[in-house]
Amino acid sequence: MQEKKGIVVMDYLETLGMNYPTILDAICDRNVEASYRLIKENPNISKEEFLRKMNIEEWEDF
């Protein structure tokens, strides 16, 4: 089940233009449940709001 949640999160964050290292932070074992829940509760969440609420910094070098 966690794999499916990770795929949902990854697909959504890709549509927001997030880079892969940042997406990997969002779907790591410690974050995937919270990321999934946040997207399901806020299906139109912006990239900036997602990063802020998840306390994830976007990787700039990619």
Side-chain angles (χ1 to χ4, degrees):
M1 184 64 163
Q2 198 163 348
E3 283 181 29
K4 290 182 181 181
K5 289 179 179 179
I7 291 169
V8 168
V9 172
M10 183 173 67
D11 288 347
Y12 184 78
L13 297 180
E14 283 179 334
T15 67
L16 295 180
M18 214 171 280
N19 60 39
Y20 288 107
T22 306
I23 291 172
L24 290 175
D25 280 348
I27 62 171
C28 73
D29 287 345
R30 72 178 187 279
N31 289 334
V32 68
E33 290 292 331
S35 293
Y36 180 82
R37 187 172 46 256
L38 183 58
I39 289 170
K40 286 300 179 184
E41 291 171 357
N42 304 286
N44 296 315
I45 194 166
S46 69
K47 176 177 159 179
E48 293 76 17
E49 186 177 5
F50 177 86
L51 292 170
R52 183 176 48 78
K53 287 189 175 196
M54 286 299 299
N55 199 27
I56 295 174
E57 289 189 34
E58 186 167 20
W59 291 62
E60 297 293 334
D61 295 340
F62 290 89

